[in-house]
């Protein structure tokens, strides 16, 4: 996924308080949680876990 696509989904998640599932490039398990905010322009916090945007391989919204 492109950084623009990832950023768009992160914004949707943050704006509508939808949880996300994130697949990282260097981690076997997905991270699931809520977008709490950005710590700088390239880092996002997902339920207390800081994630660098370049480390995100895939992201999707979790809608119930």
């Amino acid at each position: 996924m492109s950084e623009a696509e990832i950023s768009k989904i992160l914004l949707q998640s943050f704006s509508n308080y939808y949880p996300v599932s994130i697949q990282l490039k260097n981690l076997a398990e997905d991270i699931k949680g809520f977008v709490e905010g950005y710590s700088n322009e390239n880092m996002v916090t997902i339920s207390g876990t800081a994630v660098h945007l370049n480390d995100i391989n895939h992201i999707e919204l979790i809608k119930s």
Side-chain angles (χ1 to χ4, degrees), residues 25-58:
K25 294 176 181 173
N26 59 356
L27 188 64
E29 293 183 27
D30 290 352
I31 294 175
K32 295 180 181 178
F34 292 92
V35 177
E36 296 174 347
Y38 285 86
S39 54
N40 66 40
E41 66 182 49
N42 293 321
M43 296 289 288
V44 63
T45 304
I46 309 293
S47 294
T49 302
V51 177
H52 197 279
L53 290 181
N54 291 335
D55 291 335
I56 298 174
N57 189 49
H58 182 80

Side-chain angles (χ1 to χ4, degrees), residues 17 24 32 48:
Y17 204 67
L24 297 179
K32 295 180 181 178

